[in-house]
Amino acid sequence: MLKIRLTLILLCCVGVAAMAQIDSTATKDTSNPVLDLRNKIIDNVPSISIDENDLGDGGTQNIASLLTAGRDPFYSATSFNFSAARFRIKGYDNDNFQTYMNGIPMDILGNGFTPYGQWGGLNDVMRNKDVSWGLKYNTFAFGGIGANTNIDARASRQRAQTSISYAVANRSYRNRLMITHSTGLTKKGWAFSVSGSKRWADEGYVPGTYYDGYSYFVGVDKKLGQNNLLSLVAFGAPTENGRQGASVPEMLELAGTNFYNPNWGYQNGEKRNARIGRSNQPVFILTHELRLNNKTTLTTAAGYSFGKRSTTALDWYNAADPRPDYYRYLPSYTSTWASTTDQAQGQQLYDMMKNDINLRQINWQRLYDVNRDSYESIMNADGIPGNTVSGRRSHYIIEERIIYTTRFNANSVLNTKFGDHVDFTAGASYQTENNHFYKTVNDLLGGDFYVNVNQFAERDFPVDNVSNQYDLDHPNRILKVGDKFGYDYNIDVSKAAGWAQGVFQFNKVDFFLAGTASYTKFYYEGLVRNGLFPDNSLGKGTVNDFFNYAGKGGVTYKINGRNYIFANGSYQTRAPYYNNVYISPRTRNTQQTNLKSETIQTAETGYIMNSPKLKIRLSGYYTMFKDGMDVMSFYHDSYQNFVNYAISGIDKLHFGGEFGIEANVTPTITVNAAAAVGRYYYNSNQNAVITVDNSSEILGQQIIYAKNFRIPSTPMEAYNLGVTYRSPKFWFASLTGNYFDQSYLSFNPIRRTWDALKFETPGTAAYSQIFDQTKFDADYTIDFFGGYSWKLPKAYEINHKSTFLVFLLGVNNILNNKDLVTGGYEQLRYDAQAAPGDPVNVGKFPPRFYYAYGLNFFGSITLRF
């Protein structure tokens, strides 16, 4: 009977979930696939079918507790297979997932995100990870509600080996070369590890994109006696890449591809991208581990990083918009939205753009021609009376928007045991971060100079030579390549925190309690006096400080050594991120009023089975976010200026279930399945305060009717099913199917206000056209992953060491599905109806979309010895 029930369970799972071939939660070093495959094969040899013994209690004395980072069939699936659809676990934003490295927090204080790009291309030395999912306790931090990861990149923790690998792909980069050498801990107590890589592509999967990235890592450890380990690592990943831009469906149709990219155009026969991302932020971490006794360890670390990340973009002064997908250049505008429509001319334009790629991309030659033909004289240049500068004034330039960040982190964690049943952990941390925001002239595009003036202010104040100055103390400043212009300001933020945790483990029940308290402070400091806001742009603004606290706890009932039931809960408060506080930091230090901390309440419960041949996880969660904030800025045609929406009172509700199963049906065949079914809603109507960049006046206050709108750009339902074959001869192959549904477009709040809806009746087609949120179609992918490890004969061994050649191949979306929408957004520009009966203008500024790659692959060959 038990076998029949298990068979039915497996058949049901086939209909709702999928397989995970890569275990991203394992704490051991999995860098040697030969050993990994061998271990899995040995584990499977005694077992062929699932019987009562596999589901037994595994013994009744000293029942083992659940590992915080053991192999979990659900999270193993979601960590890799669902990534094509930009799946987010439980629908949480990235700031709910915390990352530590060698003992220090790596998250950015400004938005809570983890800057993974700082160690991109360093796979070999970043493999050792301890991951705890959800509210589970861990040994290194209080943690976030999504997941907590600690990367141990110390030199003594690296496998003693040399690895040389080359990879080829057709994704963001085409080639990767990586070399790593680690000594392990020598007899004299030293350990050294170095790694370097190069990733590049002249053109990536999306036309007009490219990639040029280097990565480096140096680690040194010294063991001082038996109880002290001192570690130092330094790493970085200087990278440059041409970026993809989302676009409107009309341009995708004209280009005949969902991967149309409006960011590039031909210049002298070569593709040139206007949106180039650059990043170079080296990181240094010093870690000291002190073993006080066999039960107590104190780990203290300090980290420092600095450097900039930037993005280039087109900027223009008193000239036509140079972007090829600007709404006035589209055939539909001529046919439908222009003041004088012309269907024939619209069709003619449609045919021309469809047949000529140059009409769909940036016209670099025209930008150069405009600049070279523009000869002007600037009076009182650089603020010097009587100083006149003449020459070719650029009306188009490439600007570079730069954030230069300096960060210092310190963290100390004590782990100890009291008797046989109590584990106690306590820690304290301090983080400080200075972010310098500014712009520079990157390319004058054939002109001689640019001028540091605000063209939007000139429109509003045409005879005022004060308001139009970005830098009032240096008016009419003449700009050359590399000069700063526009905005220039700092935001400083610091955070101090302390936490403690107790884990109590007994024969049938485990439970834990943890608490934390923190103090966060941030402020704005303007570095130039803006002509529009001379009194609140230069100097230090309001100092905002917040005291926050959080607590969590949980209990696990151990039915036996293989079956567990758990329940966890948490309540916490979190300071707002400064990104969501300052209304228009480009021009002034004004911030949202009534700042308050966000509150987060969450609970989770579930059942886990861990047996040699069957692993199951079934869990549910319920999370409420209250009093969130946001700031949105966009160009408004009517005001001819940037409009700012300062939004407060954002509540969100996330609830759902997760299921995963991994069954070793034979010694060589494993079936995996997983399902995530949730619902993520905005749970409140929000308040918006509307301002423009050129005025301190509040234009209005509105209620955004966002309650019950879905959290956008992640599937709320995701399923997969897969099978893996592992040969005793050290090769494996897996096939996985994934299905995604209930994903929604990011919506424009302006269309969900009274001003946008007042002339339409609820329930009518016109009302729904304005108000309803767009749902993406359900979609799918099928993926393949395989590999082979070959131990070379002794005659070919290097330095008399066992030498391996490892081959890996991953092919994603093998059915070449190019219609999978991964995200997008409604444009914030919207022309509301001015009177009853006016046409609904939703289509004038249509949404922009991103699509998942079609068939794409990654193959590598690695030599290890």
Side-chain angles (χ1 to χ4, degrees):
M1 179 63 69
L2 190 52
K3 289 184 177 179
I4 294 174
R5 289 177 181 174
L6 283 171
T7 301
L8 291 174
I9 291 173
L10 288 171
L11 288 174
C12 291
C13 295
V14 166
V16 295
M19 167 270 162
Q21 65 267 40
I22 295 178
D23 178 16
S24 65
T25 65
T27 58
K28 66 181 181 179
D29 180 8
T30 59
S31 61
N32 190 332
V34 177
L35 295 178
D36 185 50
L37 289 171
R38 182 178 297 162
N39 290 335
K40 291 179 181 296
I41 292 166
I42 292 174
D43 289 341
N44 290 336
V45 166
S47 310
I48 296 178
S49 61
I50 299 172
D51 56 26
E52 284 82 349
N53 187 53
D54 296 315
L55 304 180
D57 59 15
T60 58
Q61 298 182 0
N62 299 322
I63 299 175
S65 300
L66 276 171
L67 296 175
T68 60
R71 182 175 179 85
D72 184 295
F74 174 77
Y75 291 117
S76 296
T78 58
S79 297
F80 179 75
N81 292 313
F82 291 165
S83 60
R86 298 188 182 179
F87 174 82
R88 301 199 305 266
I89 292 173
K90 296 182 175 68
Y92 294 161
D93 290 331
N94 293 337
D95 57 338
N96 294 296
F97 298 80
Q98 295 187 1
T99 301
Y100 284 67
M101 184 181 297
N102 290 4
I104 68 163
M106 299 298 294
D107 309 313
I108 298 172
L109 291 177
N111 56 22
F113 289 14
T114 297
Y116 296 106
Q118 288 186 343
W119 55 91
L122 296 172
N123 309 49
D124 282 350
V125 292
M126 299 292 173
R127 296 183 185 275
N128 299 318
K129 298 178 182 179
D130 181 6
V131 182
S132 63
W133 296 100
L135 300 178
K136 186 69 175 177
Y137 62 85
N138 62 72
T139 60
F140 54 88
F142 177 85
I145 64 173
N148 303 284
T149 302
N150 184 43
I151 301 172
D152 192 342
R154 292 177 289 182
S156 59
R157 300 300 192 264
Q158 306 295 339
R159 183 183 299 275
Q161 68 176 11
T162 299
S163 173
I164 304 171
S165 69
Y166 172 75
V168 61
N170 70 334
R171 300 171 182 171
S172 57
Y173 59 84
R174 300 279 182 172
N175 306 273
R176 187 192 71 186
L177 179 65
M178 185 161 54
I179 302 175
T180 303
H181 175 73
S182 300
T183 64
L185 198 62
T186 67
K187 293 180 180 180
K188 294 185 178 182
W190 288 93
F192 301 91
S193 182
V194 294
S195 184
S197 73
K198 162 76 171 174
R199 294 168 291 165
W200 72 97
D202 292 333
E203 186 169 57
Y205 187 94
V206 176
T209 63
Y210 70 91
Y211 200 97
D212 185 20
Y214 294 85
S215 304
Y216 58 88
F217 173 91
V218 178
V220 180
D221 282 15
K222 181 65 172 79
K223 192 170 184 181
L224 305 172
Q226 294 298 313
N227 299 321
N228 290 270
L229 179 65
L230 192 63
S231 304
L232 176 66
V233 299
F235 60 87
T239 303
E240 178 180 307
N241 65 295
R243 295 190 169 182
Q244 174 190 7
S247 194
V248 298
E250 185 173 359
M251 289 301 294
L252 304 183
E253 179 184 342
L254 289 168
T257 174
N258 288 334
F259 305 103
Y260 164 75
N261 181 10
N263 289 340
W264 68 273
Y266 283 108
Q267 182 178 353
N268 298 325
E270 301 288 335
K271 291 181 180 179
R272 180 179 180 181
N273 195 311
R275 298 296 297 266
I276 297 174
R278 298 184 177 93
S279 178
N280 186 10
Q281 296 178 304
V283 180
F284 303 85
I285 304 174
L286 179 66
T287 307
H288 175 241
E289 182 180 294
L290 171 63
R291 185 174 297 276
L292 297 171
N293 53 52
N294 289 335
K295 294 185 176 181
T296 306
T297 301
L298 178 65
T299 303
T300 303
Y304 178 74
S305 66
F306 65 93
K308 68 180 182 180
R309 61 188 189 275
S310 66
T311 304
T312 64
L314 287 164
D315 188 34
W316 55 99
Y317 174 84
N318 285 347
D321 195 314
R323 295 170 297 179
D325 59 348
Y326 180 56
Y327 77 102
R328 290 178 180 268
Y329 302 156
L330 302 181
S332 62
Y333 180 80
T334 301
S335 302
T336 308
W337 307 112
S339 56
T340 303
T341 61
D342 188 326
Q343 294 286 339
Q345 187 176 359
Q347 182 61 50
Q348 182 182 6
L349 180 59
Y350 179 94
D351 295 337
M352 292 170 59
M353 293 183 69
K354 191 171 184 64
N355 295 315
D356 187 350
I357 190 173
N358 293 295
L359 298 178
R360 301 192 300 266
Q361 306 299 151
I362 296 172
N363 189 338
W364 290 106
Q365 187 59 51
R366 177 183 169 276
L367 306 188
Y368 276 84
D369 290 343
V370 170
N371 288 344
R372 288 166 177 163
D373 292 341
S374 175
Y375 189 90
E376 297 184 24
S377 296
I378 307 300
M379 308 296 293
N380 301 323
D382 295 322
I384 303 173
N387 181 36
T388 301
V389 173
S390 300
R392 293 176 297 184
R393 177 179 184 173
S394 291
H395 286 260
Y396 295 100
I397 68 165
I398 297 292
E399 66 178 16
E400 187 164 13
R401 304 164 184 170
I402 299 171
I403 307 175
Y404 191 98
T405 301
T406 304
R407 303 179 67 218
F408 173 78
N409 296 338
N411 191 47
S412 188
V413 177
L414 176 73
N415 282 284
T416 190
K417 293 181 68 71
F418 297 123
D420 295 329
H421 300 290
V422 180
D423 292 342
F424 177 76
T425 306
S429 65
Y430 177 74
Q431 302 168 261
T432 181
E433 181 178 291
N434 171 268
N435 296 282
H436 183 192
F437 298 81
Y438 61 98
K439 294 196 300 183
T440 64
V441 177
N442 178 269
D443 193 332
L444 289 167
L445 301 181
D448 296 328
F449 61 87
Y450 203 51
V451 185
N452 191 26
V453 292
N454 183 345
Q455 65 172 321
F456 303 119
E458 287 181 341
R459 293 174 185 173
D460 291 347
F461 312 100
V463 296
D464 185 347
N465 198 35
V466 172
S467 296
N468 71 332
Q469 298 298 326
Y470 280 122
D471 184 356
L472 192 55
D473 297 320
H474 302 88
N476 295 334
R477 186 157 54 89
I478 301 301
L479 302 172
K480 301 290 187 177
V481 172
D483 289 344
K484 291 181 182 179
F485 77 105
Y487 58 80
D488 189 2
Y489 62 93
N490 287 326
I491 294 182
D492 284 75
V493 57
S494 60
K495 180 179 180 180
W499 64 283
Q501 170 186 275
V503 180
F504 307 88
Q505 299 176 336
F506 300 98
N507 183 40
K508 296 290 288 185
V509 176
D510 294 346
F511 66 93
F512 75 94
L513 294 170
T516 184
S518 64
Y519 173 76
T520 303
K521 179 177 71 174
F522 61 83
Y523 62 87
Y524 173 103
E525 181 186 19
L527 301 179
V528 293
R529 193 159 59 103
N530 189 288
L532 287 166
F533 306 96
D535 298 326
N536 58 347
S537 54
L538 179 65
K540 189 174 180 178
T542 302
V543 177
N544 301 285
D545 55 356
F546 301 86
F547 176 78
N548 297 101
Y549 57 91
K552 67 178 180 179
V555 61
T556 299
Y557 177 69
K558 296 177 278 191
I559 301 172
N560 51 50
R562 290 172 180 165
N563 296 272
Y564 306 81
I565 297 174
F566 69 90
N568 305 315
S570 174
Y571 179 90
Q572 58 185 270
T573 66
R574 183 170 65 186
Y577 298 118
Y578 64 72
N579 287 348
N580 300 326
V581 169
Y582 296 107
I583 293 176
S584 179
R586 302 173 302 276
T587 60
R588 58 196 185 275
N589 59 26
T590 305
Q591 59 187 44
Q592 294 211 49
T593 57
N594 301 320
L595 296 184
K596 62 174 64 176
S597 293
E598 184 178 22
T599 62
I600 305 171
Q601 302 174 63
T602 184
E604 60 185 23
T605 186
Y607 164 76
I608 291 177
M609 172 191 283
N610 282 332
S611 73
K613 292 171 296 232
L614 183 64
K615 293 178 173 63
I616 295 176
R617 177 189 180 89
L618 177 64
S619 60
Y621 58 91
Y622 189 91
T623 304
M624 292 186 295
F625 300 84
K626 292 182 69 66
D627 295 323
M629 309 182 83
D630 194 10
V631 174
M632 296 181 174
S633 298
F634 62 98
Y635 183 80
H636 197 291
D637 267 357
S638 298
Y639 293 107
Q640 291 189 327
N641 208 323
F642 281 94
V643 170
N644 309 296
Y645 267 61
I647 304 173
S648 60
I650 302 174
D651 298 348
K652 297 184 291 186
L653 175 63
H654 297 235
F655 62 88
E658 300 168 338
F659 174 77
I661 185 169
E662 177 183 296
N664 298 330
V665 295
T666 76
T668 56
I669 297 177
T670 302
V671 175
N672 301 70
V677 180
R679 290 296 181 265
Y680 323 135
Y681 296 96
Y682 287 101
N683 202 34
S684 66
N685 291 326
Q686 301 154 15
N687 302 307
V689 177
I690 308 162
T691 59
V692 294
D693 273 7
N694 281 4
S695 172
S696 58
E697 179 184 355
I698 295 177
L699 299 183
Q701 300 186 38
Q702 295 181 335
I703 296 175
I704 300 170
Y705 298 103
K707 189 171 183 178
N708 295 325
F709 272 64
R710 275 67 165 183
I711 304 298
S713 300
T714 182
M716 290 185 281
E717 295 183 15
Y719 311 89
N720 75 3
L721 173 69
V723 60
T724 299
Y725 175 80
R726 294 183 176 88
S727 168
K729 296 186 178 180
F730 309 112
W731 64 272
F732 71 95
S734 65
L735 192 65
T736 307
N738 310 288
Y739 181 83
F740 311 100
D741 199 4
Q742 295 297 319
S743 187
Y744 286 80
L745 185 68
S746 181
F747 63 91
N748 175 358
I750 301 172
R751 285 170 46 186
R752 282 78 190 181
T753 62
W754 168 251
D755 286 345
L757 298 164
K758 60 186 176 182
F759 296 126
E760 299 296 342
T761 304
T764 62
Y767 186 96
S768 296
Q769 187 181 3
I770 300 170
F771 185 75
D772 289 354
Q773 188 177 10
T774 300
K775 176 183 176 296
F776 300 153
D777 293 336
D779 233 313
Y780 63 90
T781 62
I782 297 178
D783 306 324
F784 168 84
F785 187 62
Y788 172 60
S789 182
W790 176 35
K791 183 178 181 181
L792 299 183
K794 286 191 175 183
Y796 297 97
E797 289 183 349
I798 300 175
N799 295 334
H800 306 291
K801 296 180 180 179
S802 296
T803 303
F804 300 91
L805 274 177
V806 181
F807 304 87
L808 295 173
L809 176 64
V811 183
N812 294 89
N813 197 1
I814 60 179
L815 296 183
N816 201 26
N817 177 12
K818 296 183 178 181
D819 296 322
L820 173 57
V821 181
T822 59
Y825 54 91
E826 293 177 352
Q827 295 191 63
L828 294 178
R829 301 173 71 172
Y830 175 65
D831 288 348
Q833 296 162 289
D838 283 356
V840 175
N841 293 332
V842 170
K844 185 176 181 180
F845 303 105
R848 295 174 177 266
F849 296 97
Y850 289 102
Y851 288 82
Y853 293 165
L855 187 149
N856 62 94
F857 65 88
F858 179 91
S860 68
I861 178 172
T862 303
L863 176 67
R864 290 181 178 154
F865 57 91

